[in-house]
Amino acid sequence: MDFVNIVPKPIRCSINTPDKYANIENIEKQIDKKFDTSGSYDMFLYADKTVIAAADERGFFYAQQSLRQLKAVYGDQIPCFSISDAPRYQHRGVMLDSVRHMQSIEEIKKFIEAAALFKFNVFHWHLSDDQGFRFESEVFPELTKESSVRPSSDFGKVHDSTPYGGYYTKAQIKEIINFCHERFMTVIPEFDLPGHMSAVLHAKPELSCKRESVAIKTTAGIFPDILCAGKEEVFDFLFKLFDEVCEVFPDEYIHIGGDEAPKKYWKTCPHCQKRKAELGFTDEEQLQGYMTTRIAEYLATKGRKVICWNETLASDILPEGLIIQNWMDKKKKCPSFANNGGKLIYSDYYHYYTDYPYTMTPVSKTYNADPVIAGQRKKENTIGVEAPIWTEHVRDFDRLCYMTWPRFAAVSETGWSKAENKNYKDFKKRITALLPLLEEICIKAAAPQDWDPNPVSRLFGTASFFTGTVNKEMIVNFFKGNNN
Ligand code: ACM
Ligand code: ZN
């Protein structure tokens, strides 16, 4: 392949007329049904015009993103390339945590615009967690009023005693959804349950096992108050909430979390234990599987499908067609899930969590991660990749951009390009040339000298991240047994 400065790297590229530069203003689009609808395209750059062939507008859109990059790198001296291109994976996502810290609508649009430029097609929006509830609910106004504001923020060494909060109105959410759709990205909202529900339980303690008041959380961590799996009113609440969510979010998938849900209170709650006995369950994980299944079946009646984090696989009761997002498979359930036909999204925390410092997760480590996991024979059951940015320690947009770029670009190449075409040194050259284009859309990526720190910096950086993010409350929680 001749060198073409595009990220993610196309399948094939050659130069057709070496002595001429391309005209990319005069574009001819050809619909050609020999292409599939995943976004594949061919593009021929000539001295007098550019011809793009694709099955539909998605393919044209991806070709335009390639052109935008070519223009940024080569100016008005773009070689006459011929490019054949197609995605490797169907799911290429970025996840934004707007709970721990929020971003403005304009910032979220920048985040999405940059992702689309690198051919991501999923915006996963984390909207509910222990520290806040960010979806404007008219059905449950108490969530919007009481669950959206925490009294202070105590993340690691940073203590801020001012109340922090807010929510996104339905009009704002629709604006973001439209912005994504214009860029061929679908939007997957996440309402994490049954754990990570302290903010909701703060407004609605009757949905917990104990019915006692629950504080909205000001620290990072895993907390023991979770939704009760025994009470019918919990399901009534969830179905009404998801009715409202589905009215606002039109795309097929809803993420319902499922991670880090300690079963401490389920073990002694009479409602949970009654449900467990009636259903003949032998452990509390099956109760979570039952909850997941009921919600998935309810959402299926509305034509929706669910995605859950991998802890959900601790239960042997699971809904049909569940997609698992694999972030930390401690119990090694993901390989057999995939080998039995289950679909996986690769989001391994060790490689893809972009809130970790570069000293812990250098760009090369993110880039070289293999989305097919050890023990997974059915490689085709990895349906894609997704890189999250959690924001406990990411308080502003500049920091968010620094943490995510260029690691998002590294993930985009794994999600899009053929594995055999990948090469980190070559990627580094291409993405470096694209940094000014990212800056043009207000994304200030980390500088190249920060991407792959030396071993000594890695050691000290990793240690200082952990000492800086752990605080007294987290240690107390840990020793109280509130972790699962
Ligand atoms: C997660 O990081 N708890 C999904
Ligand atoms: Zn209960």
Side-chain angles (χ1 to χ4, degrees):
M1 160 177 326
D2 286 298
F3 183 78
V4 61
N5 208 117
I6 295 174
V7 176
K9 192 168 187 163
I11 292 183
R12 270 183 301 280
C13 177
S14 57
I15 292 183
N16 58 50
T17 327
D19 51 338
K20 298 239 168 73
Y21 294 124
N23 176 343
I24 63 160
E25 305 305 321
N26 181 19
I27 293 182
E28 192 177 301
K29 290 183 184 173
Q30 297 174 353
I31 301 262
D32 186 340
K33 294 296 176 192
K34 90 165 190 242
F35 294 94
D36 62 28
T37 54
S38 66
S40 43
Y41 67 92
D42 279 353
M43 182 158 68
F44 306 95
L45 282 67
Y46 301 112
D48 60 338
K49 64 178 175 183
T50 292
V51 179
I52 305 171
D56 55 19
E57 288 300 323
R58 180 185 291 274
F60 294 134
F61 177 79
Y62 293 142
Q64 298 276 10
Q65 303 318 298
S66 297
L67 279 181
R68 195 171 170 192
Q69 294 190 2
L70 290 177
K71 195 169 170 148
V73 174
Y74 300 95
D76 54 7
Q77 300 190 336
I78 304 176
C80 289
F81 291 119
S82 292
I83 295 165
S84 272
D85 208 0
R88 175 180 179 196
Y89 287 117
Q90 74 186 65
H91 181 113
R92 304 178 303 279
V94 286
M95 191 217 84
L96 178 64
D97 170 6
S98 291
V99 174
R100 279 54 176 260
H101 288 96
M102 294 180 74
Q103 304 76 31
S104 72
I105 294 300
E106 284 318 303
E107 288 166 344
I108 296 173
K109 285 184 178 173
K110 297 285 170 213
F111 181 89
I112 291 163
E113 186 182 348
L117 178 60
F118 289 79
K119 304 186 176 81
F120 281 101
N121 65 351
V122 172
F123 174 53
H124 169 178
W125 202 2
H126 189 78
L127 285 170
S128 168
D129 213 304
D130 296 301
Q131 300 80 4
F133 187 84
R134 306 276 174 242
F135 170 75
E136 178 190 29
S137 175
E138 290 163 292
V139 178
F140 299 105
E142 63 273 33
L143 295 182
T144 302
K145 191 157 173 268
E146 295 163 44
S147 303
S148 68
V149 184
R150 60 177 180 257
S152 63
S153 299
D154 307 297
F155 296 118
K157 300 265 179 285
V158 175
H159 298 281
D160 183 343
S161 57
T162 51
Y164 182 95
Y167 58 89
Y168 299 104
T169 66
K170 288 183 178 172
Q172 288 174 322
I173 292 171
K174 286 178 185 163
E175 199 179 321
I176 291 297
I177 293 168
N178 288 339
F179 193 81
C180 284
H181 287 178
E182 283 163 13
R183 288 159 182 76
F184 296 88
M185 292 176 78
T186 56
V187 181
I188 301 178
E190 180 181 352
F191 293 86
D192 199 346
L193 66 94
H196 287 285
M197 268 275 151
S198 305
V200 167
L201 295 174
H202 176 64
K204 302 188 79 59
E206 68 277 12
L207 303 180
S208 70
C209 290
K210 299 204 301 184
R211 282 192 170 269
E212 290 164 7
S213 79
V214 175
I216 187 165
K217 298 300 181 284
T218 64
T219 66
I222 300 171
F223 304 98
D225 279 297
I226 70 174
L227 287 177
C228 177
K231 293 178 199 161
E232 263 319 283
E233 67 186 295
V234 170
F235 292 93
D236 293 342
F237 162 76
L238 289 173
F239 294 164
K240 285 201 185 91
L241 178 65
F242 282 120
D243 284 344
E244 194 179 15
V245 165
C246 288
E247 274 172 26
V248 177
F249 290 93
D251 295 330
E252 190 176 17
Y253 289 97
I254 307 284
H255 201 305
I256 59 169
D259 59 320
E260 300 176 324
K263 308 298 180 305
K264 184 174 170 184
Y265 296 148
W266 283 10
K267 288 190 174 145
T268 52
C269 166
H271 304 278
C272 288
Q273 290 306 311
K274 182 162 175 276
R275 175 92 72 191
K276 182 179 158 194
E278 279 168 4
L279 295 169
F281 291 163
T282 50
D283 67 34
E284 280 67 29
E285 295 301 341
Q286 291 172 313
L287 273 181
Q288 181 168 333
Y290 163 81
M291 250 183 140
T292 308
T293 304
R294 264 189 83 177
I295 298 162
E297 286 174 354
Y298 183 74
L299 286 169
T301 65
K302 297 166 166 289
R304 307 306 180 96
K305 295 182 179 155
V306 298
I307 303 178
C308 289
W309 298 106
N310 60 265
E311 286 94 320
T312 309
L313 297 182
S315 163
D316 51 359
I317 293 148
L318 294 171
E320 276 292 300
L322 173 70
I323 292 178
I324 288 294
Q325 185 166 7
N326 175 14
W327 75 282
M328 188 196 265
D329 190 18
K330 274 192 214 161
K331 295 187 177 159
K332 299 273 175 283
K333 299 279 185 183
C334 286
S336 60
F337 176 70
N339 293 339
N340 288 310
K343 305 292 184 205
L344 293 176
I345 296 164
Y346 179 83
S347 284
D348 182 55
Y349 79 105
Y350 189 65
H351 296 90
Y352 276 16
Y353 272 24
T354 58
D355 45 313
Y356 290 159
Y358 287 89
T359 46
M360 213 169 130
T361 313
V363 184
S364 54
K365 180 168 153 186
T366 301
Y367 186 84
N368 289 321
D370 182 358
V372 176
I373 52 177
Q376 182 185 342
R377 289 186 308 280
K378 298 206 167 166
K379 291 185 177 187
E380 68 280 11
N381 286 337
T382 290
I383 60 162
V385 294
E386 194 177 297
I389 176 79
W390 300 101
T391 58
E392 287 95 333
H393 310 289
V394 180
R395 293 188 300 282
D396 62 54
F397 193 62
D398 275 352
R399 182 77 187 157
L400 195 145
C401 293
Y402 173 88
M403 297 306 278
T404 48
W405 295 95
R407 287 188 287 204
F408 275 1
V411 174
S412 85
E413 190 141 304
T414 302
W416 180 278
S417 308
K418 278 190 175 301
E420 59 270 28
N421 276 348
K422 286 181 64 194
N423 174 295
Y424 182 60
K425 228 172 120 193
D426 171 67
F427 164 80
K428 219 173 152 179
K429 242 185 341 194
R430 283 177 286 119
I431 191 63
T432 302
L434 286 165
L435 295 180
L437 178 59
L438 277 169
E439 276 219 33
E440 236 175 69
I441 54 175
C442 303
I443 302 285
K444 281 200 209 97
Q449 67 267 20
D450 292 354
W451 296 357
D452 295 290
N454 65 41
V456 176
S457 309
R458 289 198 59 188
L459 197 66
F460 282 101
T462 303
S464 96
F465 176 70
F466 281 115
T467 51
T469 54
V470 172
N471 62 21
K472 195 180 94 216
E473 293 85 343
M474 288 170 78
I475 294 167
V476 169
N477 268 334
F478 183 83
F479 284 107
K480 274 196 202 154
N482 289 345
N483 281 284
N484 62 355

